[in-house]
Amino acid sequence: MSWTGRLRCTAVVKNGRTVILDNYSEGALKLMRPVYLDPAHPTLYLVHVGGGYVDGDSYDMEIFLEPSARLMVTTQSAAKIYKTPSTPVRQYTRLSLGEQSVLEYFPDPTIAYEHARFYQETTVYITPSSTFVYGEIITPGWSESGELFRYDWIRSKLKVYQDEALVLFDHLYLDSRQHLTSMLQLGGYTHVGSLVALSPFITKEVLEQFNQLMEEMPQEVRCGFSAAAVPGFSVRILAYETSAIEAIFQRVQQFIRQQCGEEALVCWRKY
């Protein structure tokens, strides 16, 4: 398969610090040099140099964490999916976490414009001692008529394996061509956020604390969460704007970081 962009990197621990090895990219995907939003751990910014995803684009990304590596990953800007009259945009991501490693992966929102079709598949391999935190936001983009939900469809799959067993499968499918009522189309909301947190630190007592946190969420959004088959949980958020979901993501992320012994507050927002 000919890729529009490919990216691959490995995070390892050297002299008590996580560093990036095997940094490779080609085509429209690039990887910026690590920065340190958290003083102890690197943050990687994934960059799409083309300005947006267009008809027939295909992307392939791989990120590996060796044992005890800790890494934060985000993107430089939102992923803009423009109209795809012939072939949907496809993106495949594989993440592999070694023993006692920690990966926090929060890409910027996916914005689907009029007549866009987008397929995304994220496959994650974890161990019982690793921590994986992931969040994504999907929003409707510009349309000539000014109407929302003018994209054709978006399909996002997240599959997580532990010891070769599938422990989590999340499949979000949004199809605006079904002419659904607002009640069936995200309940009248426009933005949807999904967050998954899997970690041995998430015990039954931690889930009870998280339940209290969820009850304190703003009234203008709809939130729900469920426990996973392994220690952890998944969250779905419906809102009217990106910033509302990002604010909840930050609260949840900070909650999880505290359980893992990380006190530093991290702001993912770009300026």
Short mmCIF file of all heavy atoms in Angstrom, two decimals, residues 134-198:
data_model
loop_
_atom_site.label_atom_id
_atom_site.label_comp_id
_atom_site.label_asym_id
_atom_site.label_seq_id
_atom_site.Cartn_x
_atom_site.Cartn_y
_atom_site.Cartn_z
N TYR A 134 -6.01 7.68 26.67
CA TYR A 134 -6.23 8.11 25.28
C TYR A 134 -7.53 8.90 25.19
O TYR A 134 -8.54 8.52 25.79
CB TYR A 134 -6.30 6.89 24.37
CG TYR A 134 -6.76 7.17 22.96
CD1 TYR A 134 -5.92 7.76 22.03
CD2 TYR A 134 -8.05 6.82 22.55
CE1 TYR A 134 -6.34 8.01 20.73
CE2 TYR A 134 -8.48 7.05 21.26
CZ TYR A 134 -7.62 7.65 20.35
OH TYR A 134 -8.05 7.89 19.07
N GLY A 135 -7.48 10.01 24.45
CA GLY A 135 -8.70 10.78 24.25
C GLY A 135 -8.79 11.30 22.83
O GLY A 135 -7.78 11.70 22.24
N GLU A 136 -9.99 11.30 22.26
CA GLU A 136 -10.20 11.86 20.93
C GLU A 136 -11.50 12.65 20.91
O GLU A 136 -12.44 12.35 21.65
CB GLU A 136 -10.22 10.78 19.85
CG GLU A 136 -11.44 9.87 19.88
CD GLU A 136 -11.56 9.03 18.60
OE1 GLU A 136 -10.85 9.31 17.62
OE2 GLU A 136 -12.38 8.09 18.61
N ILE A 137 -11.54 13.67 20.05
CA ILE A 137 -12.71 14.54 19.90
C ILE A 137 -13.06 14.61 18.42
O ILE A 137 -12.17 14.80 17.58
CB ILE A 137 -12.43 15.95 20.44
CG1 ILE A 137 -12.02 15.91 21.91
CG2 ILE A 137 -13.65 16.85 20.26
CD1 ILE A 137 -11.57 17.25 22.46
N ILE A 138 -14.34 14.47 18.10
CA ILE A 138 -14.81 14.57 16.73
C ILE A 138 -15.82 15.70 16.64
O ILE A 138 -16.77 15.77 17.44
CB ILE A 138 -15.43 13.25 16.25
CG1 ILE A 138 -14.36 12.15 16.23
CG2 ILE A 138 -16.07 13.40 14.89
CD1 ILE A 138 -14.89 10.79 15.87
N THR A 139 -15.64 16.58 15.65
CA THR A 139 -16.53 17.73 15.49
C THR A 139 -16.92 17.89 14.02
O THR A 139 -16.19 17.49 13.12
CB THR A 139 -15.85 19.04 15.96
OG1 THR A 139 -14.97 19.52 14.91
CG2 THR A 139 -15.04 18.82 17.21
N PRO A 140 -18.09 18.49 13.75
CA PRO A 140 -18.47 18.77 12.36
C PRO A 140 -17.75 20.02 11.86
O PRO A 140 -17.56 20.98 12.60
CB PRO A 140 -19.98 19.00 12.45
CG PRO A 140 -20.18 19.51 13.84
CD PRO A 140 -19.15 18.84 14.70
N GLY A 141 -17.34 19.98 10.58
CA GLY A 141 -16.64 21.12 9.99
C GLY A 141 -17.54 21.97 9.12
O GLY A 141 -18.76 21.82 9.10
N TRP A 142 -16.91 22.87 8.39
CA TRP A 142 -17.62 23.84 7.56
C TRP A 142 -18.40 23.15 6.44
O TRP A 142 -17.96 22.14 5.88
CB TRP A 142 -16.63 24.82 6.95
CG TRP A 142 -17.25 25.84 6.03
CD1 TRP A 142 -17.76 27.05 6.37
CD2 TRP A 142 -17.42 25.71 4.60
NE1 TRP A 142 -18.24 27.69 5.25
CE2 TRP A 142 -18.04 26.90 4.14
CE3 TRP A 142 -17.12 24.72 3.68
CZ2 TRP A 142 -18.35 27.12 2.81
CZ3 TRP A 142 -17.43 24.92 2.35
CH2 TRP A 142 -18.04 26.11 1.93
N SER A 143 -19.56 23.71 6.12
CA SER A 143 -20.33 23.28 4.95
C SER A 143 -20.87 24.52 4.26
O SER A 143 -21.10 25.56 4.89
CB SER A 143 -21.48 22.35 5.34
OG SER A 143 -22.45 23.04 6.11
N GLU A 144 -21.09 24.43 2.96
CA GLU A 144 -21.54 25.59 2.18
C GLU A 144 -22.89 26.10 2.65
O GLU A 144 -23.16 27.31 2.66
CB GLU A 144 -21.60 25.21 0.70
CG GLU A 144 -21.94 26.39 -0.22
CD GLU A 144 -21.87 26.01 -1.68
OE1 GLU A 144 -21.53 24.85 -1.98
OE2 GLU A 144 -22.15 26.89 -2.52
N SER A 145 -23.76 25.19 3.08
CA SER A 145 -25.09 25.58 3.53
C SER A 145 -25.10 26.12 4.95
O SER A 145 -26.08 26.71 5.39
CB SER A 145 -26.03 24.37 3.45
OG SER A 145 -25.63 23.37 4.37
N GLY A 146 -24.00 25.89 5.68
CA GLY A 146 -23.95 26.30 7.07
C GLY A 146 -24.54 25.28 8.03
O GLY A 146 -24.53 25.48 9.25
N GLU A 147 -25.08 24.19 7.50
CA GLU A 147 -25.66 23.15 8.34
C GLU A 147 -24.57 22.28 8.96
O GLU A 147 -23.48 22.12 8.42
CB GLU A 147 -26.59 22.26 7.50
CG GLU A 147 -27.77 22.98 6.89
CD GLU A 147 -28.62 22.06 6.05
OE1 GLU A 147 -28.67 20.85 6.37
OE2 GLU A 147 -29.20 22.51 5.05
N LEU A 148 -24.90 21.71 10.12
CA LEU A 148 -23.99 20.79 10.78
C LEU A 148 -24.19 19.36 10.26
O LEU A 148 -25.18 19.07 9.58
CB LEU A 148 -24.23 20.82 12.30
CG LEU A 148 -23.98 22.17 12.98
CD1 LEU A 148 -24.40 22.11 14.43
CD2 LEU A 148 -22.53 22.59 12.86
N PHE A 149 -23.26 18.50 10.58
CA PHE A 149 -23.31 17.08 10.21
C PHE A 149 -23.47 16.89 8.70
O PHE A 149 -24.28 16.11 8.22
CB PHE A 149 -24.46 16.37 10.94
CG PHE A 149 -24.36 16.45 12.43
CD1 PHE A 149 -25.26 17.20 13.15
CD2 PHE A 149 -23.34 15.81 13.12
CE1 PHE A 149 -25.17 17.29 14.54
CE2 PHE A 149 -23.23 15.90 14.49
CZ PHE A 149 -24.15 16.64 15.20
N ARG A 150 -22.66 17.64 7.93
CA ARG A 150 -22.69 17.49 6.48
C ARG A 150 -21.62 16.52 5.99
O ARG A 150 -21.52 16.26 4.80
CB ARG A 150 -22.50 18.86 5.82
CG ARG A 150 -23.65 19.83 6.09
CD ARG A 150 -24.96 19.34 5.55
NE ARG A 150 -24.90 19.23 4.09
CZ ARG A 150 -25.80 18.61 3.34
NH1 ARG A 150 -26.82 18.00 3.93
NH2 ARG A 150 -25.69 18.59 2.03
N TYR A 151 -20.80 15.99 6.91
CA TYR A 151 -19.88 14.93 6.50
C TYR A 151 -20.70 13.68 6.19
O TYR A 151 -21.81 13.50 6.69
CB TYR A 151 -18.84 14.64 7.58
CG TYR A 151 -19.39 14.34 8.95
CD1 TYR A 151 -19.91 13.09 9.27
CD2 TYR A 151 -19.37 15.31 9.96
CE1 TYR A 151 -20.39 12.81 10.53
CE2 TYR A 151 -19.86 15.03 11.23
CZ TYR A 151 -20.37 13.79 11.51
OH TYR A 151 -20.85 13.51 12.76
N ASP A 152 -20.16 12.80 5.35
CA ASP A 152 -20.88 11.56 5.01
C ASP A 152 -20.84 10.59 6.18
O ASP A 152 -21.86 10.20 6.72
CB ASP A 152 -20.29 10.92 3.76
CG ASP A 152 -20.71 11.66 2.49
OD1 ASP A 152 -21.53 12.60 2.59
OD2 ASP A 152 -20.21 11.31 1.41
N TRP A 153 -19.62 10.18 6.57
CA TRP A 153 -19.52 9.28 7.72
C TRP A 153 -18.11 9.32 8.32
O TRP A 153 -17.14 9.66 7.66
CB TRP A 153 -19.90 7.84 7.37
CG TRP A 153 -19.17 7.21 6.22
CD1 TRP A 153 -19.62 7.11 4.92
CD2 TRP A 153 -17.89 6.55 6.25
NE1 TRP A 153 -18.70 6.45 4.15
CE2 TRP A 153 -17.63 6.10 4.94
CE3 TRP A 153 -16.96 6.31 7.23
CZ2 TRP A 153 -16.47 5.42 4.59
CZ3 TRP A 153 -15.78 5.65 6.91
CH2 TRP A 153 -15.56 5.20 5.60
N ILE A 154 -18.06 8.93 9.59
CA ILE A 154 -16.82 8.78 10.33
C ILE A 154 -16.88 7.45 11.07
O ILE A 154 -17.87 7.16 11.74
CB ILE A 154 -16.62 9.91 11.36
CG1 ILE A 154 -16.58 11.27 10.66
CG2 ILE A 154 -15.34 9.69 12.17
CD1 ILE A 154 -16.60 12.44 11.63
N ARG A 155 -15.84 6.66 10.95
CA ARG A 155 -15.78 5.38 11.66
C ARG A 155 -14.45 5.32 12.41
O ARG A 155 -13.38 5.41 11.79
CB ARG A 155 -15.91 4.21 10.70
CG ARG A 155 -16.06 2.86 11.39
CD ARG A 155 -16.05 1.72 10.39
NE ARG A 155 -17.19 1.75 9.49
CZ ARG A 155 -18.36 1.17 9.76
NH1 ARG A 155 -18.54 0.52 10.89
NH2 ARG A 155 -19.34 1.22 8.87
N SER A 156 -14.51 5.20 13.73
CA SER A 156 -13.31 5.16 14.55
C SER A 156 -13.33 3.91 15.42
O SER A 156 -14.26 3.71 16.20
CB SER A 156 -13.21 6.41 15.42
OG SER A 156 -12.04 6.38 16.23
N LYS A 157 -12.30 3.08 15.27
CA LYS A 157 -12.21 1.84 16.05
C LYS A 157 -10.98 1.90 16.96
O LYS A 157 -9.88 2.27 16.51
CB LYS A 157 -12.10 0.63 15.13
CG LYS A 157 -13.32 0.37 14.27
CD LYS A 157 -13.13 -0.88 13.42
CE LYS A 157 -14.35 -1.17 12.56
NZ LYS A 157 -14.17 -2.38 11.73
N LEU A 158 -11.18 1.52 18.21
CA LEU A 158 -10.09 1.39 19.16
C LEU A 158 -10.09 -0.03 19.70
O LEU A 158 -11.08 -0.47 20.29
CB LEU A 158 -10.25 2.39 20.31
CG LEU A 158 -9.26 2.25 21.47
CD1 LEU A 158 -7.83 2.54 21.01
CD2 LEU A 158 -9.65 3.15 22.64
N LYS A 159 -8.97 -0.74 19.52
CA LYS A 159 -8.84 -2.11 20.00
C LYS A 159 -7.62 -2.19 20.92
O LYS A 159 -6.53 -1.77 20.53
CB LYS A 159 -8.68 -3.08 18.82
CG LYS A 159 -9.90 -3.13 17.91
CD LYS A 159 -9.72 -4.14 16.79
CE LYS A 159 -8.74 -3.64 15.75
NZ LYS A 159 -8.69 -4.58 14.57
N VAL A 160 -7.83 -2.72 22.12
CA VAL A 160 -6.75 -2.84 23.10
C VAL A 160 -6.57 -4.31 23.45
O VAL A 160 -7.54 -4.99 23.81
CB VAL A 160 -7.04 -2.02 24.37
CG1 VAL A 160 -5.86 -2.13 25.34
CG2 VAL A 160 -7.30 -0.55 24.03
N TYR A 161 -5.33 -4.78 23.37
CA TYR A 161 -5.00 -6.17 23.68
C TYR A 161 -4.08 -6.21 24.89
O TYR A 161 -3.15 -5.41 25.01
CB TYR A 161 -4.29 -6.83 22.50
CG TYR A 161 -5.15 -7.02 21.28
CD1 TYR A 161 -5.26 -6.01 20.33
CD2 TYR A 161 -5.85 -8.20 21.07
CE1 TYR A 161 -6.05 -6.17 19.20
CE2 TYR A 161 -6.64 -8.38 19.95
CZ TYR A 161 -6.74 -7.36 19.02
OH TYR A 161 -7.52 -7.53 17.90
N GLN A 162 -4.32 -7.18 25.77
CA GLN A 162 -3.43 -7.45 26.90
C GLN A 162 -3.12 -8.93 26.90
O GLN A 162 -4.04 -9.77 26.95
CB GLN A 162 -4.07 -7.04 28.22
CG GLN A 162 -3.14 -7.20 29.42
CD GLN A 162 -3.82 -6.83 30.72
OE1 GLN A 162 -4.31 -7.70 31.45
NE2 GLN A 162 -3.87 -5.55 31.03
N ASP A 163 -1.85 -9.28 26.81
CA ASP A 163 -1.43 -10.69 26.74
C ASP A 163 -2.18 -11.41 25.62
O ASP A 163 -2.70 -12.53 25.80
CB ASP A 163 -1.66 -11.39 28.08
CG ASP A 163 -0.81 -10.80 29.20
OD1 ASP A 163 0.28 -10.28 28.88
OD2 ASP A 163 -1.24 -10.84 30.36
N GLU A 164 -2.28 -10.75 24.47
CA GLU A 164 -2.88 -11.28 23.25
C GLU A 164 -4.40 -11.43 23.32
O GLU A 164 -5.01 -11.93 22.38
CB GLU A 164 -2.24 -12.62 22.87
CG GLU A 164 -0.73 -12.53 22.60
CD GLU A 164 -0.15 -13.84 22.13
OE1 GLU A 164 -0.90 -14.83 22.06
OE2 GLU A 164 1.06 -13.86 21.83
N ALA A 165 -5.00 -11.03 24.43
CA ALA A 165 -6.46 -11.10 24.55
C ALA A 165 -7.05 -9.70 24.34
O ALA A 165 -6.53 -8.71 24.87
CB ALA A 165 -6.86 -11.63 25.92
N LEU A 166 -8.13 -9.63 23.59
CA LEU A 166 -8.82 -8.35 23.37
C LEU A 166 -9.56 -7.98 24.65
O LEU A 166 -10.47 -8.67 25.07
CB LEU A 166 -9.80 -8.48 22.20
CG LEU A 166 -10.57 -7.21 21.82
CD1 LEU A 166 -9.62 -6.15 21.28
CD2 LEU A 166 -11.64 -7.52 20.79
N VAL A 167 -9.16 -6.86 25.26
CA VAL A 167 -9.76 -6.45 26.54
C VAL A 167 -10.65 -5.22 26.39
O VAL A 167 -11.43 -4.91 27.29
CB VAL A 167 -8.68 -6.18 27.60
CG1 VAL A 167 -7.93 -7.47 27.93
CG2 VAL A 167 -7.71 -5.09 27.16
N LEU A 168 -10.54 -4.52 25.26
CA LEU A 168 -11.42 -3.36 25.04
C LEU A 168 -11.59 -3.15 23.54
O LEU A 168 -10.61 -3.18 22.79
CB LEU A 168 -10.83 -2.10 25.68
CG LEU A 168 -11.72 -0.84 25.66
CD1 LEU A 168 -11.54 -0.03 26.93
CD2 LEU A 168 -11.39 0.05 24.45
N PHE A 169 -12.84 -2.94 23.14
CA PHE A 169 -13.14 -2.63 21.74
C PHE A 169 -14.19 -1.53 21.72
O PHE A 169 -15.30 -1.71 22.20
CB PHE A 169 -13.65 -3.88 21.01
CG PHE A 169 -14.03 -3.61 19.58
CD1 PHE A 169 -13.11 -3.08 18.69
CD2 PHE A 169 -15.31 -3.88 19.12
CE1 PHE A 169 -13.45 -2.84 17.37
CE2 PHE A 169 -15.67 -3.64 17.80
CZ PHE A 169 -14.73 -3.12 16.92
N ASP A 170 -13.81 -0.39 21.18
CA ASP A 170 -14.73 0.75 21.08
C ASP A 170 -14.89 1.10 19.62
O ASP A 170 -13.90 1.37 18.92
CB ASP A 170 -14.17 1.94 21.87
CG ASP A 170 -15.13 3.13 21.83
OD1 ASP A 170 -16.25 3.00 22.36
OD2 ASP A 170 -14.76 4.18 21.27
N HIS A 171 -16.13 1.11 19.15
CA HIS A 171 -16.41 1.39 17.74
C HIS A 171 -17.42 2.53 17.68
O HIS A 171 -18.59 2.38 18.01
CB HIS A 171 -16.98 0.14 17.07
CG HIS A 171 -17.22 0.32 15.60
ND1 HIS A 171 -17.84 -0.65 14.83
CD2 HIS A 171 -16.96 1.34 14.75
CE1 HIS A 171 -17.94 -0.22 13.59
NE2 HIS A 171 -17.41 0.99 13.52
N LEU A 172 -16.93 3.68 17.24
CA LEU A 172 -17.79 4.86 17.09
C LEU A 172 -18.06 5.06 15.61
O LEU A 172 -17.13 5.24 14.81
CB LEU A 172 -17.11 6.10 17.68
CG LEU A 172 -17.88 7.42 17.56
CD1 LEU A 172 -19.18 7.35 18.34
CD2 LEU A 172 -17.02 8.59 18.04
N TYR A 173 -19.34 5.04 15.24
CA TYR A 173 -19.73 5.19 13.83
C TYR A 173 -20.77 6.29 13.72
O TYR A 173 -21.86 6.17 14.28
CB TYR A 173 -20.28 3.87 13.29
CG TYR A 173 -20.70 3.91 11.84
CD1 TYR A 173 -19.88 4.48 10.87
CD2 TYR A 173 -21.91 3.35 11.43
CE1 TYR A 173 -20.26 4.50 9.54
CE2 TYR A 173 -22.30 3.36 10.11
CZ TYR A 173 -21.47 3.94 9.15
OH TYR A 173 -21.84 3.97 7.84
N LEU A 174 -20.42 7.35 13.01
CA LEU A 174 -21.32 8.48 12.80
C LEU A 174 -21.63 8.59 11.32
O LEU A 174 -20.71 8.77 10.50
CB LEU A 174 -20.67 9.78 13.31
CG LEU A 174 -20.20 9.79 14.77
CD1 LEU A 174 -19.44 11.07 15.07
CD2 LEU A 174 -21.38 9.63 15.71
N ASP A 175 -22.90 8.49 10.95
CA ASP A 175 -23.30 8.51 9.55
C ASP A 175 -24.42 9.53 9.40
O ASP A 175 -25.56 9.30 9.82
CB ASP A 175 -23.77 7.12 9.11
CG ASP A 175 -23.99 7.03 7.61
OD1 ASP A 175 -24.17 8.09 6.96
OD2 ASP A 175 -23.96 5.91 7.08
N SER A 176 -24.10 10.67 8.80
CA SER A 176 -25.09 11.75 8.66
C SER A 176 -26.08 11.47 7.54
O SER A 176 -27.12 12.15 7.44
CB SER A 176 -24.39 13.08 8.39
OG SER A 176 -23.77 13.07 7.11
N ARG A 177 -25.83 10.49 6.70
CA ARG A 177 -26.71 10.21 5.56
C ARG A 177 -27.98 9.48 5.97
O ARG A 177 -28.88 9.29 5.15
CB ARG A 177 -25.96 9.37 4.52
CG ARG A 177 -24.70 10.04 3.98
CD ARG A 177 -23.84 9.07 3.22
NE ARG A 177 -23.43 7.96 4.06
CZ ARG A 177 -22.75 6.90 3.62
NH1 ARG A 177 -22.40 6.82 2.36
NH2 ARG A 177 -22.43 5.92 4.44
N GLN A 178 -28.08 9.09 7.25
CA GLN A 178 -29.25 8.36 7.72
C GLN A 178 -30.43 9.29 7.99
O GLN A 178 -31.53 8.82 8.28
CB GLN A 178 -28.90 7.59 9.00
CG GLN A 178 -27.78 6.58 8.81
CD GLN A 178 -28.12 5.50 7.80
OE1 GLN A 178 -29.26 5.03 7.74
NE2 GLN A 178 -27.15 5.13 6.98
N HIS A 179 -30.22 10.62 7.90
CA HIS A 179 -31.30 11.60 8.13
C HIS A 179 -32.00 11.35 9.47
O HIS A 179 -33.22 11.32 9.57
CB HIS A 179 -32.33 11.55 6.99
CG HIS A 179 -31.71 11.76 5.64
ND1 HIS A 179 -31.15 12.97 5.25
CD2 HIS A 179 -31.54 10.92 4.59
CE1 HIS A 179 -30.67 12.86 4.01
NE2 HIS A 179 -30.89 11.63 3.59
N LEU A 180 -31.17 11.20 10.50
CA LEU A 180 -31.71 10.94 11.83
C LEU A 180 -32.24 12.22 12.46
O LEU A 180 -31.82 13.32 12.13
CB LEU A 180 -30.62 10.34 12.72
CG LEU A 180 -29.98 9.04 12.22
CD1 LEU A 180 -28.84 8.64 13.14
CD2 LEU A 180 -31.02 7.93 12.14
N THR A 181 -33.16 12.05 13.38
CA THR A 181 -33.62 13.20 14.16
C THR A 181 -32.50 13.63 15.11
O THR A 181 -31.56 12.89 15.37
CB THR A 181 -34.88 12.84 14.97
OG1 THR A 181 -34.52 11.85 15.95
CG2 THR A 181 -35.97 12.30 14.07
N SER A 182 -32.61 14.83 15.65
CA SER A 182 -31.57 15.33 16.54
C SER A 182 -31.43 14.44 17.78
O SER A 182 -30.34 14.31 18.33
CB SER A 182 -31.89 16.77 16.98
OG SER A 182 -33.12 16.83 17.68
N MET A 183 -32.53 13.82 18.21
CA MET A 183 -32.46 12.95 19.37
C MET A 183 -31.57 11.74 19.11
O MET A 183 -30.84 11.27 19.98
CB MET A 183 -33.86 12.50 19.78
CG MET A 183 -33.88 11.60 21.02
SD MET A 183 -33.11 12.37 22.46
CE MET A 183 -34.28 13.71 22.76
N LEU A 184 -31.61 11.23 17.88
CA LEU A 184 -30.80 10.07 17.53
C LEU A 184 -29.43 10.46 16.99
O LEU A 184 -28.58 9.61 16.79
CB LEU A 184 -31.53 9.21 16.50
CG LEU A 184 -32.84 8.56 16.97
CD1 LEU A 184 -33.49 7.78 15.84
CD2 LEU A 184 -32.56 7.62 18.15
N GLN A 185 -29.23 11.74 16.72
CA GLN A 185 -27.97 12.23 16.20
C GLN A 185 -27.23 12.97 17.30
O GLN A 185 -27.24 14.19 17.40
CB GLN A 185 -28.22 13.15 15.00
CG GLN A 185 -26.99 13.39 14.14
CD GLN A 185 -27.37 14.13 12.87
OE1 GLN A 185 -27.98 15.18 12.91
NE2 GLN A 185 -27.02 13.57 11.73
N LEU A 186 -26.61 12.20 18.18
CA LEU A 186 -25.89 12.72 19.34
C LEU A 186 -26.80 13.49 20.29
O LEU A 186 -26.36 14.36 21.03
CB LEU A 186 -24.73 13.62 18.92
CG LEU A 186 -23.66 12.99 18.02
CD1 LEU A 186 -22.55 13.98 17.74
CD2 LEU A 186 -23.10 11.72 18.64
N GLY A 187 -28.08 13.18 20.27
CA GLY A 187 -29.01 13.81 21.21
C GLY A 187 -29.10 15.32 21.05
O GLY A 187 -29.42 16.02 22.01
N GLY A 188 -28.82 15.83 19.87
CA GLY A 188 -28.85 17.26 19.64
C GLY A 188 -27.52 17.95 19.87
O GLY A 188 -27.36 19.13 19.55
N TYR A 189 -26.55 17.25 20.43
CA TYR A 189 -25.21 17.83 20.63
C TYR A 189 -24.42 17.77 19.31
O TYR A 189 -24.80 17.06 18.38
CB TYR A 189 -24.46 17.07 21.72
CG TYR A 189 -25.03 17.29 23.11
CD1 TYR A 189 -26.03 16.45 23.61
CD2 TYR A 189 -24.58 18.33 23.91
CE1 TYR A 189 -26.55 16.64 24.88
CE2 TYR A 189 -25.10 18.53 25.18
CZ TYR A 189 -26.09 17.69 25.66
OH TYR A 189 -26.61 17.88 26.92
N THR A 190 -23.34 18.51 19.25
CA THR A 190 -22.56 18.61 18.02
C THR A 190 -21.18 17.96 18.11
O THR A 190 -20.62 17.57 17.10
CB THR A 190 -22.37 20.08 17.63
OG1 THR A 190 -21.79 20.79 18.75
CG2 THR A 190 -23.71 20.72 17.27
N HIS A 191 -20.63 17.87 19.32
CA HIS A 191 -19.27 17.38 19.51
C HIS A 191 -19.29 16.12 20.38
O HIS A 191 -20.05 16.05 21.34
CB HIS A 191 -18.39 18.43 20.19
CG HIS A 191 -18.17 19.67 19.38
ND1 HIS A 191 -19.19 20.39 18.80
CD2 HIS A 191 -17.03 20.33 19.06
CE1 HIS A 191 -18.69 21.43 18.16
NE2 HIS A 191 -17.38 21.41 18.30
N VAL A 192 -18.43 15.17 20.03
CA VAL A 192 -18.36 13.93 20.82
C VAL A 192 -16.92 13.67 21.22
O VAL A 192 -16.00 13.79 20.39
CB VAL A 192 -18.95 12.73 20.05
CG1 VAL A 192 -18.28 12.54 18.71
CG2 VAL A 192 -18.86 11.46 20.86
N GLY A 193 -16.71 13.34 22.49
CA GLY A 193 -15.39 13.02 22.98
C GLY A 193 -15.36 11.62 23.56
O GLY A 193 -16.33 11.17 24.19
N SER A 194 -14.26 10.93 23.37
CA SER A 194 -14.09 9.57 23.90
C SER A 194 -12.75 9.52 24.63
O SER A 194 -11.73 9.98 24.11
CB SER A 194 -14.11 8.53 22.78
OG SER A 194 -15.30 8.60 22.03
N LEU A 195 -12.77 8.95 25.83
CA LEU A 195 -11.54 8.84 26.62
C LEU A 195 -11.47 7.44 27.21
O LEU A 195 -12.47 6.91 27.70
CB LEU A 195 -11.51 9.89 27.73
CG LEU A 195 -10.23 9.99 28.57
CD1 LEU A 195 -9.99 11.43 29.02
CD2 LEU A 195 -10.27 9.08 29.79
N VAL A 196 -10.29 6.86 27.16
CA VAL A 196 -10.04 5.53 27.73
C VAL A 196 -8.84 5.62 28.65
O VAL A 196 -7.81 6.21 28.29
CB VAL A 196 -9.79 4.48 26.63
CG1 VAL A 196 -9.27 3.18 27.23
CG2 VAL A 196 -11.06 4.22 25.84
N ALA A 197 -8.96 5.06 29.84
CA ALA A 197 -7.85 5.01 30.78
C ALA A 197 -7.73 3.60 31.32
O ALA A 197 -8.68 3.07 31.91
CB ALA A 197 -8.07 5.99 31.93
N LEU A 198 -6.59 2.96 31.10
CA LEU A 198 -6.33 1.60 31.57
C LEU A 198 -5.04 1.62 32.37
O LEU A 198 -4.00 2.05 31.86
CB LEU A 198 -6.22 0.64 30.39
CG LEU A 198 -7.41 0.58 29.43
CD1 LEU A 198 -7.10 -0.33 28.26
CD2 LEU A 198 -8.67 0.12 30.15
#
